[in-house]
Structure formats: C-alpha cells, structure tokens
Tab-separated table of all heavy atoms in Angstrom:
chain	number	residue	atom	x	y	z
A	1	CYS	N	-35.909	-151.278	-28.910
A	1	CYS	CA	-36.974	-152.224	-29.241
A	1	CYS	C	-36.401	-153.631	-29.234
A	1	CYS	O	-35.466	-153.923	-29.966
A	1	CYS	CB	-37.561	-151.890	-30.608
A	1	CYS	SG	-38.326	-150.257	-30.659
A	2	LYS	N	-36.960	-154.472	-28.393
A	2	LYS	CA	-36.492	-155.845	-28.238
A	2	LYS	C	-37.530	-156.777	-28.848
A	2	LYS	O	-38.722	-156.472	-28.847
A	2	LYS	CB	-36.343	-156.120	-26.732
A	2	LYS	CG	-35.617	-157.386	-26.387
A	2	LYS	CD	-35.492	-157.502	-24.875
A	2	LYS	CE	-34.705	-158.764	-24.515
A	2	LYS	NZ	-34.557	-158.903	-23.067
A	3	CYS	N	-37.069	-157.904	-29.338
A	3	CYS	CA	-38.018	-158.878	-29.903
A	3	CYS	C	-38.997	-159.334	-28.820
A	3	CYS	O	-38.625	-159.499	-27.659
A	3	CYS	CB	-37.273	-160.095	-30.448
A	3	CYS	SG	-36.303	-159.732	-31.923
A	4	GLN	N	-40.236	-159.548	-29.231
A	4	GLN	CA	-41.251	-160.064	-28.306
A	4	GLN	C	-40.810	-161.437	-27.809
A	4	GLN	O	-40.012	-162.115	-28.458
A	4	GLN	CB	-42.607	-160.215	-29.024
A	4	GLN	CG	-43.228	-158.913	-29.480
A	4	GLN	CD	-43.968	-158.165	-28.379
A	4	GLN	OE1	-43.784	-158.428	-27.202
A	4	GLN	NE2	-44.783	-157.229	-28.774
A	5	LEU	N	-41.364	-161.840	-26.664
A	5	LEU	CA	-41.069	-163.173	-26.145
A	5	LEU	C	-41.484	-164.200	-27.187
A	5	LEU	O	-42.535	-164.067	-27.816
A	5	LEU	CB	-41.840	-163.407	-24.826
A	5	LEU	CG	-41.341	-162.576	-23.636
A	5	LEU	CD1	-42.301	-162.665	-22.473
A	5	LEU	CD2	-39.941	-162.995	-23.204
A	6	GLY	N	-40.654	-165.201	-27.397
A	6	GLY	CA	-40.939	-166.213	-28.408
A	6	GLY	C	-40.289	-165.912	-29.749
A	6	GLY	O	-40.422	-166.680	-30.694
A	7	TYR	N	-39.591	-164.752	-29.814
A	7	TYR	CA	-38.880	-164.365	-31.038
A	7	TYR	C	-37.427	-164.056	-30.691
A	7	TYR	O	-37.109	-163.717	-29.553
A	7	TYR	CB	-39.510	-163.120	-31.673
A	7	TYR	CG	-40.894	-163.351	-32.225
A	7	TYR	CD1	-42.018	-163.234	-31.401
A	7	TYR	CD2	-41.083	-163.676	-33.559
A	7	TYR	CE1	-43.297	-163.450	-31.903
A	7	TYR	CE2	-42.362	-163.886	-34.071
A	7	TYR	CZ	-43.461	-163.773	-33.238
A	7	TYR	OH	-44.717	-163.984	-33.740
A	8	GLU	N	-36.556	-164.199	-31.674
A	8	GLU	CA	-35.149	-163.829	-31.450
A	8	GLU	C	-34.649	-163.022	-32.642
A	8	GLU	O	-35.138	-163.170	-33.761
A	8	GLU	CB	-34.281	-165.071	-31.217
A	8	GLU	CG	-34.186	-166.012	-32.389
A	8	GLU	CD	-33.360	-167.263	-32.100
A	8	GLU	OE1	-32.599	-167.251	-31.130
A	8	GLU	OE2	-33.483	-168.218	-32.875
A	9	LEU	N	-33.655	-162.168	-32.367
A	9	LEU	CA	-33.110	-161.300	-33.404
A	9	LEU	C	-32.146	-162.094	-34.278
A	9	LEU	O	-31.202	-162.692	-33.781
A	9	LEU	CB	-32.397	-160.114	-32.753
A	9	LEU	CG	-32.124	-158.909	-33.637
A	9	LEU	CD1	-33.425	-158.269	-34.110
A	9	LEU	CD2	-31.304	-157.874	-32.888
A	10	LYS	N	-32.424	-162.094	-35.584
A	10	LYS	CA	-31.554	-162.807	-36.528
A	10	LYS	C	-31.234	-161.879	-37.696
A	10	LYS	O	-32.053	-161.066	-38.083
A	10	LYS	CB	-32.282	-164.040	-37.075
A	10	LYS	CG	-32.332	-165.218	-36.107
A	10	LYS	CD	-31.550	-166.415	-36.648
A	10	LYS	CE	-31.439	-167.541	-35.648
A	10	LYS	NZ	-32.518	-168.524	-35.782
A	11	TYR	N	-30.020	-162.050	-38.233
A	11	TYR	CA	-29.599	-161.260	-39.383
A	11	TYR	C	-29.805	-162.109	-40.630
A	11	TYR	O	-29.064	-163.044	-40.902
A	11	TYR	CB	-28.131	-160.848	-39.234
A	11	TYR	CG	-27.653	-159.878	-40.290
A	11	TYR	CD1	-28.038	-158.547	-40.242
A	11	TYR	CD2	-26.821	-160.294	-41.335
A	11	TYR	CE1	-27.599	-157.641	-41.207
A	11	TYR	CE2	-26.383	-159.404	-42.302
A	11	TYR	CZ	-26.778	-158.076	-42.229
A	11	TYR	OH	-26.345	-157.191	-43.179
A	12	THR	N	-30.877	-161.792	-41.350
A	12	THR	CA	-31.164	-162.557	-42.555
A	12	THR	C	-31.425	-161.614	-43.724
A	12	THR	O	-32.011	-160.560	-43.542
A	12	THR	CB	-32.414	-163.465	-42.356
A	12	THR	OG1	-33.465	-162.675	-41.821
A	12	THR	CG2	-32.126	-164.634	-41.445
A	13	SER	N	-30.998	-162.023	-44.878
A	13	SER	CA	-31.104	-161.271	-46.134
A	13	SER	C	-30.818	-159.771	-45.977
A	13	SER	O	-31.598	-158.922	-46.365
A	13	SER	CB	-32.473	-161.511	-46.803
A	13	SER	OG	-33.542	-161.136	-45.952
A	14	GLY	N	-29.669	-159.501	-45.343
A	14	GLY	CA	-29.167	-158.127	-45.250
A	14	GLY	C	-29.811	-157.237	-44.208
A	14	GLY	O	-29.542	-156.045	-44.156
A	15	ARG	N	-30.662	-157.816	-43.348
A	15	ARG	CA	-31.221	-156.960	-42.286
A	15	ARG	C	-31.559	-157.785	-41.045
A	15	ARG	O	-31.705	-159.016	-41.113
A	15	ARG	CB	-32.442	-156.188	-42.774
A	15	ARG	CG	-33.646	-157.033	-43.104
A	15	ARG	CD	-34.748	-156.204	-43.758
A	15	ARG	NE	-35.998	-156.954	-43.789
A	15	ARG	CZ	-36.970	-156.799	-42.908
A	15	ARG	NH1	-36.873	-155.928	-41.942
A	15	ARG	NH2	-38.073	-157.528	-43.003
A	16	TYR	N	-31.682	-157.069	-39.935
A	16	TYR	CA	-32.051	-157.726	-38.674
A	16	TYR	C	-33.562	-157.799	-38.579
A	16	TYR	O	-34.269	-156.843	-38.856
A	16	TYR	CB	-31.518	-156.934	-37.478
A	16	TYR	CG	-30.039	-157.122	-37.247
A	16	TYR	CD1	-29.115	-156.184	-37.699
A	16	TYR	CD2	-29.559	-158.245	-36.573
A	16	TYR	CE1	-27.748	-156.357	-37.494
A	16	TYR	CE2	-28.195	-158.418	-36.359
A	16	TYR	CZ	-27.301	-157.479	-36.817
A	16	TYR	OH	-25.963	-157.656	-36.611
A	17	SER	N	-34.061	-158.952	-38.180
A	17	SER	CA	-35.499	-159.070	-37.954
A	17	SER	C	-35.754	-160.068	-36.830
A	17	SER	O	-34.903	-160.892	-36.491
A	17	SER	CB	-36.223	-159.481	-39.233
A	17	SER	OG	-35.614	-160.632	-39.774
A	18	CYS	N	-36.943	-159.962	-36.253
A	18	CYS	CA	-37.323	-160.851	-35.163
A	18	CYS	C	-37.960	-162.098	-35.760
A	18	CYS	O	-38.973	-162.020	-36.456
A	18	CYS	CB	-38.291	-160.146	-34.222
A	18	CYS	SG	-37.513	-158.774	-33.340
A	19	VAL	N	-37.324	-163.228	-35.506
A	19	VAL	CA	-37.762	-164.501	-36.091
A	19	VAL	C	-38.289	-165.399	-34.979
A	19	VAL	O	-37.758	-165.420	-33.865
A	19	VAL	CB	-36.566	-165.177	-36.821
A	19	VAL	CG1	-36.965	-166.506	-37.413
A	19	VAL	CG2	-36.023	-164.262	-37.899
A	20	ASP	N	-39.337	-166.141	-35.303
A	20	ASP	CA	-39.947	-167.052	-34.334
A	20	ASP	C	-38.932	-168.071	-33.828
A	20	ASP	O	-38.157	-168.626	-34.591
A	20	ASP	CB	-41.126	-167.775	-35.008
A	20	ASP	CG	-41.690	-168.871	-34.116
A	20	ASP	OD1	-42.038	-168.565	-32.971
A	20	ASP	OD2	-41.750	-170.026	-34.580
A	21	VAL	N	-38.947	-168.287	-32.504
A	21	VAL	CA	-38.090	-169.312	-31.897
A	21	VAL	C	-38.877	-170.620	-31.915
A	21	VAL	O	-40.020	-170.671	-31.461
A	21	VAL	CB	-37.726	-168.925	-30.435
A	21	VAL	CG1	-36.984	-170.058	-29.749
A	21	VAL	CG2	-36.900	-167.653	-30.395
A	22	ASN	N	-38.274	-171.673	-32.455
A	22	ASN	CA	-38.926	-172.981	-32.441
A	22	ASN	C	-38.559	-173.679	-31.132
A	22	ASN	O	-37.507	-174.309	-31.013
A	22	ASN	CB	-38.493	-173.813	-33.650
A	22	ASN	CG	-39.294	-175.098	-33.786
A	22	ASN	OD1	-39.845	-175.617	-32.810
A	22	ASN	ND2	-39.347	-175.616	-34.998
A	23	GLU	N	-39.453	-173.516	-30.131
A	23	GLU	CA	-39.175	-174.048	-28.794
A	23	GLU	C	-39.051	-175.570	-28.801
A	23	GLU	O	-38.380	-176.145	-27.943
A	23	GLU	CB	-40.281	-173.633	-27.809
A	23	GLU	CG	-40.334	-172.145	-27.495
A	23	GLU	CD	-41.118	-171.314	-28.509
A	23	GLU	OE1	-41.621	-171.883	-29.509
A	23	GLU	OE2	-41.226	-170.101	-28.301
A	24	CYS	N	-39.708	-176.215	-29.785
A	24	CYS	CA	-39.665	-177.684	-29.871
A	24	CYS	C	-38.271	-178.166	-30.264
A	24	CYS	O	-37.799	-179.197	-29.797
A	24	CYS	CB	-40.698	-178.180	-30.884
A	24	CYS	SG	-42.379	-177.615	-30.498
A	25	VAL	N	-37.588	-177.383	-31.113
A	25	VAL	CA	-36.242	-177.743	-31.577
A	25	VAL	C	-35.198	-177.330	-30.540
A	25	VAL	O	-34.256	-178.070	-30.257
A	25	VAL	CB	-35.948	-177.089	-32.953
A	25	VAL	CG1	-34.499	-177.314	-33.368
A	25	VAL	CG2	-36.894	-177.643	-34.014
A	26	THR	N	-35.368	-176.149	-29.970
A	26	THR	CA	-34.380	-175.646	-29.006
A	26	THR	C	-34.554	-176.289	-27.633
A	26	THR	O	-33.770	-176.042	-26.725
A	26	THR	CB	-34.480	-174.105	-28.860
A	26	THR	OG1	-35.819	-173.777	-28.449
A	26	THR	CG2	-34.133	-173.400	-30.148
A	27	ASN	N	-35.613	-177.089	-27.490
A	27	ASN	CA	-35.905	-177.802	-26.246
A	27	ASN	C	-36.158	-176.853	-25.067
A	27	ASN	O	-35.784	-177.135	-23.941
A	27	ASN	CB	-34.771	-178.782	-25.910
A	27	ASN	CG	-35.314	-180.151	-25.524
A	27	ASN	OD1	-36.514	-180.430	-25.714
A	27	ASN	ND2	-34.466	-181.004	-24.980
A	28	THR	N	-36.751	-175.717	-25.368
A	28	THR	CA	-37.072	-174.753	-24.304
A	28	THR	C	-38.555	-174.840	-23.923
A	28	THR	O	-39.051	-173.998	-23.191
A	28	THR	CB	-36.722	-173.313	-24.753
A	28	THR	OG1	-37.335	-173.083	-26.027
A	28	THR	CG2	-35.221	-173.090	-24.853
A	29	HIS	N	-39.234	-175.874	-24.410
A	29	HIS	CA	-40.649	-176.063	-24.045
A	29	HIS	C	-40.740	-176.769	-22.686
A	29	HIS	O	-39.752	-177.293	-22.170
A	29	HIS	CB	-41.370	-176.887	-25.134
A	29	HIS	CG	-40.797	-178.262	-25.302
A	29	HIS	ND1	-41.144	-179.312	-24.507
A	29	HIS	CD2	-39.868	-178.729	-26.185
A	29	HIS	CE1	-40.485	-180.387	-24.868
A	29	HIS	NE2	-39.679	-180.060	-25.900
A	30	ARG	N	-41.958	-176.770	-22.127
A	30	ARG	CA	-42.178	-177.431	-20.843
A	30	ARG	C	-43.231	-178.535	-21.004
A	30	ARG	O	-44.037	-178.777	-20.120
A	30	ARG	CB	-42.637	-176.411	-19.792
A	30	ARG	CG	-41.627	-175.301	-19.564
A	30	ARG	CD	-42.104	-174.265	-18.552
A	30	ARG	NE	-43.441	-173.746	-18.820
A	30	ARG	CZ	-43.733	-172.838	-19.740
A	30	ARG	NH1	-42.786	-172.350	-20.512
A	30	ARG	NH2	-44.983	-172.404	-19.906
A	31	CYS	N	-43.234	-179.169	-22.191
A	31	CYS	CA	-44.219	-180.222	-22.442
A	31	CYS	C	-43.891	-181.467	-21.615
A	31	CYS	O	-42.720	-181.753	-21.331
A	31	CYS	CB	-44.233	-180.605	-23.927
A	31	CYS	SG	-44.815	-179.270	-24.998
A	32	ASN	N	-44.946	-182.195	-21.293
A	32	ASN	CA	-44.810	-183.432	-20.543
A	32	ASN	C	-44.025	-184.453	-21.366
A	32	ASN	O	-44.026	-184.396	-22.601
A	32	ASN	CB	-46.221	-183.967	-20.220
A	32	ASN	CG	-46.182	-185.131	-19.252
A	32	ASN	OD1	-46.002	-186.270	-19.662
A	32	ASN	ND2	-46.361	-184.833	-17.975
A	33	LEU	N	-43.414	-185.374	-20.678
A	33	LEU	CA	-42.637	-186.435	-21.320
A	33	LEU	C	-43.500	-187.241	-22.294
A	33	LEU	O	-43.012	-187.746	-23.302
A	33	LEU	CB	-42.081	-187.347	-20.209
A	33	LEU	CG	-40.976	-188.315	-20.598
A	33	LEU	CD1	-39.709	-187.568	-20.987
A	33	LEU	CD2	-40.688	-189.268	-19.436
A	34	HIS	N	-44.813	-187.324	-21.989
A	34	HIS	CA	-45.744	-188.089	-22.820
A	34	HIS	C	-46.577	-187.159	-23.710
A	34	HIS	O	-47.733	-187.438	-23.980
A	34	HIS	CB	-46.657	-188.951	-21.939
A	34	HIS	CG	-45.896	-189.861	-21.031
A	34	HIS	ND1	-45.168	-190.941	-21.493
A	34	HIS	CD2	-45.714	-189.830	-19.682
A	34	HIS	CE1	-44.579	-191.533	-20.465
A	34	HIS	NE2	-44.895	-190.885	-19.357
A	35	ALA	N	-45.977	-186.042	-24.116
A	35	ALA	CA	-46.692	-185.082	-24.971
A	35	ALA	C	-45.827	-184.707	-26.154
A	35	ALA	O	-44.601	-184.820	-26.123
A	35	ALA	CB	-47.073	-183.846	-24.169
A	36	GLU	N	-46.473	-184.258	-27.200
A	36	GLU	CA	-45.777	-183.761	-28.382
A	36	GLU	C	-45.734	-182.246	-28.327
A	36	GLU	O	-46.704	-181.610	-27.912
A	36	GLU	CB	-46.537	-184.196	-29.645
A	36	GLU	CG	-46.321	-185.624	-30.044
A	36	GLU	CD	-47.161	-185.994	-31.256
A	36	GLU	OE1	-47.492	-185.087	-32.056
A	36	GLU	OE2	-47.497	-187.187	-31.393
A	37	CYS	N	-44.635	-181.694	-28.792
A	37	CYS	CA	-44.499	-180.231	-28.844
A	37	CYS	C	-44.856	-179.759	-30.246
A	37	CYS	O	-44.370	-180.316	-31.231
A	37	CYS	CB	-43.072	-179.846	-28.491
A	37	CYS	SG	-42.747	-178.082	-28.663
A	38	LEU	N	-45.703	-178.743	-30.315
A	38	LEU	CA	-46.091	-178.154	-31.604
A	38	LEU	C	-45.693	-176.685	-31.609
A	38	LEU	O	-46.149	-175.915	-30.756
A	38	LEU	CB	-47.610	-178.279	-31.815
A	38	LEU	CG	-48.191	-179.701	-31.753
A	38	LEU	CD1	-49.696	-179.646	-31.596
A	38	LEU	CD2	-47.832	-180.456	-33.032
A	39	ASN	N	-44.828	-176.319	-32.524
A	39	ASN	CA	-44.385	-174.920	-32.583
A	39	ASN	C	-45.488	-174.041	-33.173
A	39	ASN	O	-46.169	-174.415	-34.113
A	39	ASN	CB	-43.112	-174.795	-33.429
A	39	ASN	CG	-42.550	-173.388	-33.404
A	39	ASN	OD1	-42.336	-172.821	-32.343
A	39	ASN	ND2	-42.340	-172.817	-34.569
A	40	THR	N	-45.670	-172.847	-32.583
A	40	THR	CA	-46.610	-171.849	-33.119
A	40	THR	C	-45.847	-170.544	-33.266
A	40	THR	O	-44.737	-170.400	-32.737
A	40	THR	CB	-47.822	-171.642	-32.172
A	40	THR	OG1	-47.340	-171.146	-30.921
A	40	THR	CG2	-48.618	-172.913	-31.972
A	41	GLU	N	-46.427	-169.593	-33.948
A	41	GLU	CA	-45.775	-168.284	-34.151
A	41	GLU	C	-45.633	-167.579	-32.803
A	41	GLU	O	-46.612	-167.206	-32.182
A	41	GLU	CB	-46.609	-167.456	-35.134
A	41	GLU	CG	-45.938	-166.177	-35.618
A	41	GLU	CD	-44.720	-166.402	-36.507
A	41	GLU	OE1	-44.633	-167.436	-37.197
A	41	GLU	OE2	-43.839	-165.532	-36.486
A	42	GLY	N	-44.402	-167.471	-32.346
A	42	GLY	CA	-44.121	-166.765	-31.096
A	42	GLY	C	-44.321	-167.606	-29.851
A	42	GLY	O	-44.082	-167.137	-28.746
A	43	SER	N	-44.762	-168.838	-30.020
A	43	SER	CA	-45.002	-169.679	-28.842
A	43	SER	C	-44.940	-171.159	-29.227
A	43	SER	O	-44.296	-171.522	-30.221
A	43	SER	CB	-46.369	-169.324	-28.241
A	43	SER	OG	-46.527	-169.964	-26.992
A	44	PHE	N	-45.613	-172.012	-28.449
A	44	PHE	CA	-45.680	-173.446	-28.714
A	44	PHE	C	-46.907	-174.034	-28.005
A	44	PHE	O	-47.484	-173.392	-27.126
A	44	PHE	CB	-44.399	-174.150	-28.228
A	44	PHE	CG	-44.203	-174.077	-26.744
A	44	PHE	CD1	-44.620	-175.130	-25.911
A	44	PHE	CD2	-43.607	-172.972	-26.150
A	44	PHE	CE1	-44.448	-175.061	-24.546
A	44	PHE	CE2	-43.431	-172.900	-24.780
A	44	PHE	CZ	-43.854	-173.949	-23.964
A	45	GLN	N	-47.265	-175.238	-28.407
A	45	GLN	CA	-48.378	-175.955	-27.758
A	45	GLN	C	-47.916	-177.357	-27.425
A	45	GLN	O	-47.035	-177.911	-28.079
A	45	GLN	CB	-49.594	-176.027	-28.696
A	45	GLN	CG	-50.328	-174.708	-28.826
A	45	GLN	CD	-51.500	-174.793	-29.797
A	45	GLN	OE1	-51.611	-175.727	-30.597
A	45	GLN	NE2	-52.369	-173.812	-29.733
A	46	CYS	N	-48.538	-177.925	-26.404
A	46	CYS	CA	-48.236	-179.294	-26.012
A	46	CYS	C	-49.510	-180.131	-26.153
A	46	CYS	O	-50.579	-179.705	-25.708
A	46	CYS	CB	-47.765	-179.349	-24.563
A	46	CYS	SG	-46.283	-178.349	-24.266
C-alpha cells in the first residue's frame, strides 16, 4: 500500500502514516508566476 498522490510517508508519533505534501512549500506546484499557490489536502490550487 503506497500513499496516494499528494501524500508522503512520514514517521510521526511512533508510527508511519501518509501525510499531505504541501506543494506550495516544496515548490512542486505548476502555478503561474503571477499566481498564488494554495495547499489543499492531497493537492493544491492556483
């Protein structure tokens, strides 16, 4: 079982869980230069 797209496996509080990837922080979004990135659960919006 792999984390859904937009999530990554992290070890937090003694167990592994799928945590939302903040595409706005990791700069993996494809927003326009003149747009703001808004992180959503499992995805992002521009």
Side-chain angles (χ1 to χ4, degrees):
C1 298
K2 192 178 182 180
C3 291
Q4 295 279 17
L5 290 169
Y7 292 86
E8 64 182 342
L9 197 64
K10 283 245 173 92
Y11 187 75
T12 50
S13 58
R15 66 188 193 98
Y16 283 99
S17 52
C18 293
V19 179
D20 172 54
V21 173
N22 188 336
E23 292 84 358
C24 304
V25 173
T26 58
N27 227 12
T28 52
H29 62 83
R30 300 178 309 282
C31 294
N32 189 275
L33 194 66
H34 304 291
E36 282 177 26
C37 175
L38 303 165
N39 185 52
T40 62
E41 190 68 28
S43 189
F44 64 96
Q45 286 178 344
C46 301

